[in-house]
Amino acid sequence: QQQVKQSPQSLIVQKGGISIINCAYENTAFDYFPWYQQFPGKGPALLIAIRPDVSEKKEGRFTISFNKSAKQFSLHIMDSQPGDSATYFCAASKGDYKLSFGAGTTVTVRA
Amino acid sequence: NAGVTQTPKFQVLKTGQSMTLQCAQDMNHNSMYWYRQDPGMGLRLIYYSASEGTTDKGEVPNGYNVSRLNKREFSLRLESAAPSQTSVYFCASSEPRTSGGWETQYFGPGTRLLVL
């Protein structure tokens, strides 16, 4: 049973549009929420991460929004580019460095 | 600096055969992990090793064994492969999280395993 539920499974966005991926968790002991990006044939790589004491974190075109009361967090990709086409995984851990991953979202950016 | 390397890249096995997946990291990390990735399931932790000489079960350890050979190397062994073990296997490494800090897991390129 996955501890982190991710949606949607896939999405298609036009170049310049906004991609939004949502994740929800149940375990309130989670205190670290990273997002990983994976290109075809490659291993995942850390994209951006947030702690629950912050409601938003932005790095370039990528923003994490965190809602502690709703136990939800999301990744927003602004001004999406074809190079952003990849699979994105949300994850969570509770200080023991065991990451629980969501199922993944495949993002396709159409030029 | 190669990061995390895995061999082989691709392997085909017959049911019942055994094999060992190799992983090495050159970042002097203490922690190493083995995951499997299946469509619609994300990455699931098979085993991890917090330091040289220690290993612990993850979410899906059945059918696998691991060896932390030294600080650099962490191998995953399938003693009797089954079709259900067809998957992409990723090795990762990290440093333990410092107080208030992040923990980043660095992943290798993966091994695609097909069990017939």
Side-chain angles (χ1 to χ4, degrees), chain A residues 26-44:
Chain A
E26 287 298 323
N27 190 341
T28 55
F30 285 145
D31 67 347
Y32 171 62
F33 301 88
W35 285 87
Y36 279 78
Q37 181 187 52
Q38 183 182 29
F39 293 106
K42 305 290 186 184

Side-chain angles (χ1 to χ4, degrees), chain A residues 2 32 36 38 89 93 97, chain B residues 37 41 50 97 102-103 105:
Chain A
Q2 283 193 302
Y32 171 62
Y36 279 78
Q38 183 182 29
F89 294 95
S93 74
Y97 43 84
Chain B
Q37 182 177 21
M41 304 288 285
R97 197 192 307 181
W102 302 116
E103 168 221 309
Q105 290 191 18

Side-chain angles (χ1 to χ4, degrees), chain B residues 11-17 81-84 86 113-116:
Chain B
Q11 184 73 44
V12 179
L13 289 179
K14 294 181 179 177
T15 297
Q17 287 184 318
S84 61
T86 292
L113 178 65
L114 175 62
V115 183
L116 301 174

